[in-house]
Each structure stands twice: as C-alpha cells, then as structure tokens.
C-alpha cells in the first residue's frame, strides 16, 4: 500500500478499535479493553509514523496514542488493582512518544525482571538512563546480540545508547546517525522485524515509517541534522 492507502486502512482500524473499547468499557471487560487499547495505540502510532515519513506533523496522532494508554492504565487499574499496565499495555512505547512530545507520562516501574528485552530497553531509552542504566542496558543488549534472529535488534539498541553517549555536534555522533539509519534500512530484509509489528519498519513498511526510537535519542542529543528520523516538531 502507498502512504495514503495505509493511512486510510489504519483510520478504519482505529474506528473499529474505538467502538470495541466502548463495548469493553460498558461491560467492564478488562481483557477486551486492553486488547482494543493496544490496537488503538498501534493505529495512532502507525498513522503518526507515516505522517512523519512524509514530512508532516505526527503530533496529533502521537498525543492520542499516549492519551489512550494513559487513560486505559488508570481505568483498568481501578477495575482490578492487580492489573499491570507495564505488562499488558504498550506503556514503554507510550513513554517514548511522550518523550518526543515533551509530555509527562506515568509509566510505572520498569524494574520487573520478567519484562521483555525491548520493553526494558525502551524504558531506559525514554528516560535517557545511559549512565545509571548502562550496565543493565549492556546486559540486555548482549542477550539480543547472541540470538541469531535478534542480532539486528541488539545492534540497533546498542547504537541508540551509543548515540546518547556521544558528544553533541561531534563527528562521532554524525557517524552513529548514519549507522543507525543503515540498521533501520536492514529491517526491510530482516525476518525478525518483517514478522513483527508494522510500526517497527520491517518488510514493505520500512519505506512507510521512521525509527522513532532513534528520533528519541536524537532529540535528547539536540541533533539538528538532515536525518528523516530526526524529530522536527
């Protein structure tokens, strides 16, 4: 699909998920509410990423993505105090978007040992804990690098943290940006990313979206270069 066709597709998905969320709220169906929250987040994120790739502002969609996770986190915890948003909702990715927007977001504690590697690393990236979390980040990245299917993901996260540790405005930072861009392009031919969420840029979606995690790292570094992955809003 071309960008407009993809936007139309996800707009339809958002409408369906919104209605599904209304049904879940009316029946206080926690699992259905969590499912539709995840789908709404994905729809808003995908639309925002497509807009970003086209040079248009993704802000409205990103704000909606953060809002739906934040509101659902509060509501579903009020239904069941044992509900863990960090485990059941895309809270870590919402934290990344909130970082781009410069908005507050209560993401909870990411210190659970059983969190998925990408969730843990996304929290570290969102909080820019390259100093306090570097040892933890290195350990998680090392596990990703060891896996044949996850090696590209490991190298990519490693590069994000190298970006955060680089000197702002330095040649080293420019080189790292080029490396990160090349790694993102590789997702188009990588089985792990091609089989994952469309927002990750695997397969044909590589030409539709941008690397918003790189955008987070570059914003934290005050980067003002020409990268399509740099935040401009």
């Amino acid at each position: 699909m071309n960008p407009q066709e993809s936007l139309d597709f996800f707009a339809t998905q958002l409408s369906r998920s919104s209605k599904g969320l209304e049904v879940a709220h009316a029946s206080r169906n926690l699992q259905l509410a969590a499912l539709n929250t995840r789908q709404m987040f994905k729809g808003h994120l995908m639309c925002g990423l497509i807009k970003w790739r086209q040079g248009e502002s993704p802000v409205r969609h990103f704000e909606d993505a953060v809002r739906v996770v934040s509101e659902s986190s509060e509501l579903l915890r009020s239904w069941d105090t044992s509900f863990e948003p960090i485990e059941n909702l895309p809270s870590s990715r919402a934290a990344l978007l909130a970082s781009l927007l410069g908005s507050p977001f209560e993401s909870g504690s990411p210190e659970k040992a059983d969190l998925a590697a990408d969730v843990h690393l996304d929290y570290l990236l969102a909080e820019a804990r390259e100093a306090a979390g570097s040892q933890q980040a290195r350990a998680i990245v090392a596990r990703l690098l060891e896996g044949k299917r996850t090696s590209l993901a490991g190298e990519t996260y490693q590069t994000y943290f190298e970006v955060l540790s680089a000197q702002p405005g330095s040649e080293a930072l420019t080189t790292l940006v080029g490396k990160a861009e090349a790694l993102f392009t590789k997702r188009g031919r990588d089985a792990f990313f091609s089989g994952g969420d469309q927002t990750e840029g695997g397969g044909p979606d590589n030409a539709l979206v941008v690397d918003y995690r790189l955008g987070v790292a570059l914003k934290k570094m005050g980067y003002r270069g020409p990268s399509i992955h740099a935040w401009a809003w």
Side-chain angles (χ1 to χ4, degrees), residues 144-154 190-196:
L144 292 175
L145 289 170
E146 289 172 357
K148 183 176 180 181
R149 283 179 54 81
T150 59
S151 60
L152 178 58
D190 183 78
F192 177 78
F193 282 100
S194 295

Side-chain angles (χ1 to χ4, degrees), residues 3-227:
Q4 188 56 55
E5 289 171 338
S6 293
L7 286 171
D8 293 342
F9 172 80
F10 282 100
T12 299
Q13 295 298 104
L14 278 168
S15 178
R16 291 175 180 170
S17 297
S18 179
K19 292 176 182 177
L21 193 58
E22 291 176 4
V23 171
H25 286 174
S27 60
R28 291 176 68 92
N29 187 323
L30 190 147
Q31 294 304 322
L32 183 61
L35 171 63
N36 281 282
T37 296
R38 292 192 295 269
Q39 290 300 317
M40 287 189 70
F41 176 85
K42 176 182 176 178
H44 283 305
L45 174 55
M46 191 67 180
C47 286
L49 293 174
I50 294 170
K51 291 277 190 181
W52 183 342
R53 185 65 181 255
Q54 298 303 305
E56 301 176 36
S57 173
V59 168
R60 179 176 63 84
H61 281 295
F62 285 3
E63 287 176 338
D64 287 342
V66 173
R67 175 185 52 77
V68 71
V69 172
S70 180
E71 291 179 354
S72 285
S73 295
E74 183 175 354
L75 178 62
L76 300 188
R77 278 185 291 189
S78 75
W79 291 356
D80 183 348
T81 56
S82 67
F83 179 78
E84 288 285 357
I86 290 177
E87 297 177 353
N88 296 284
L89 299 178
S91 299
S92 62
R93 291 188 289 161
L96 290 170
L97 298 188
S99 180
L100 284 171
L101 295 167
S103 303
F105 179 74
E106 180 56 50
S107 60
S109 174
E111 301 306 321
K112 286 177 168 282
D114 58 349
L115 290 181
D118 61 325
V119 174
H120 237 137
L121 292 171
D122 283 348
Y123 276 120
L124 292 172
L125 181 60
E127 298 173 15
R129 290 166 57 187
E130 71 276 12
S134 60
Q135 184 174 353
Q136 184 181 34
R138 283 197 299 272
I140 299 171
V141 166
R143 292 199 297 270
L144 292 175
L145 289 170
E146 289 172 357
K148 183 176 180 181
R149 283 179 54 81
T150 59
S151 60
L152 178 58
E155 188 175 4
T156 298
Y157 274 108
Q158 184 177 60
T159 304
Y160 296 149
F161 288 101
E162 288 174 350
V163 166
L164 288 173
S165 300
Q167 183 69 28
S170 66
E171 183 177 340
L173 176 58
T174 301
T175 299
L176 285 167
V177 172
K179 177 182 178 181
E181 290 177 331
L183 290 172
F184 181 76
T185 300
K186 285 185 178 181
R187 297 187 192 186
R189 305 181 303 276
D190 183 78
F192 177 78
F193 282 100
S194 295
D197 197 295
Q198 290 157 294
T199 59
E200 299 301 300
D205 295 301
N206 192 259
L208 284 177
V209 302
V210 298
D211 185 347
Y212 64 100
R213 292 180 179 85
L214 177 57
V216 170
L218 295 180
K219 180 183 178 182
K220 292 180 182 298
M221 296 300 292
Y223 177 82
R224 293 291 182 269
S227 175

